[in-house]
Amino acid sequence: MLQTNRSLLKLILLSFITFGIYGLVFWYKLIKDVNVICVEDGKKTSGIIALFFLTLITFGIYSFWWYYNVGERLHDAGQRYNITVDVDGGKVLIWILVGLFTVGIGQLVAIHLMIKNLNILSEVHNSIS
């Protein structure tokens, strides 16, 4: 069973309380669930270790590509599951870029939208499996 109750507020609060440990667990599980839901596309979302090091090596550029790809995979999975996922990789990327000029608020919006879509897709996946 995939988790269906993810929340941005919970991510922020528990990451703060646990000094970031919850955040690492959260992203690990999110990536794992994205790969389960989107298995039919033949792609694989890289894990948090690869995300960290590739973002570091590319001076942050890889993270933009990563967020875009996760958004695209979730959008495409929505089409396969016959549900509307109105946020694609482009919209996620735009919010991430807006975050550069809004002290990270745009990035929080992007993460919230990804979480919301993943929760919906997880519910559908759980009902089918």
Side-chain angles (χ1 to χ4, degrees):
M1 297 291 289
L2 301 179
Q3 185 176 349
T4 60
N5 63 344
R6 289 179 179 87
S7 148
L8 178 62
L9 182 60
K10 182 178 171 184
L11 169 62
I12 293 169
L13 290 176
L14 290 179
S15 292
F16 181 75
I17 292 170
T18 63
F19 302 102
I21 294 171
Y22 178 80
L24 294 173
V25 172
F26 174 90
W27 286 107
Y28 171 80
K29 289 181 177 181
L30 181 135
I31 292 166
K32 186 177 133 220
D33 288 356
V34 167
N35 285 328
V36 168
I37 289 170
C38 303
V39 71
E40 293 177 16
D41 66 9
K43 301 174 186 172
K44 187 171 191 250
T45 298
S46 59
I48 56 174
I49 294 172
L51 173 61
F52 174 77
F53 284 112
L54 290 172
T55 298
L56 191 65
I57 291 169
T58 63
F59 303 103
I61 295 171
Y62 180 78
S63 66
F64 297 128
W65 183 83
W66 187 88
Y67 278 110
Y68 172 81
N69 280 324
V70 171
E72 281 295 300
R73 289 188 78 197
L74 293 174
H75 182 263
D76 294 346
Q79 292 176 341
R80 283 192 299 279
Y81 285 105
N82 292 323
I83 61 170
T84 302
V85 175
D86 57 351
V87 178
D88 61 3
K91 289 179 185 173
V92 169
L93 184 58
I94 287 171
W95 277 113
I96 295 293
L97 293 173
V98 166
L100 295 174
F101 304 103
T102 59
V103 195
I105 293 172
Q107 185 172 9
L108 293 176
V109 171
I111 293 169
H112 166 71
L113 294 171
M114 287 173 37
I115 290 170
K116 181 181 127 198
N117 289 332
L118 183 59
N119 284 341
I120 293 167
L121 288 166
S122 294
E123 285 180 24
V124 173
H125 179 82
N126 288 344
S127 69
I128 295 171
S129 300

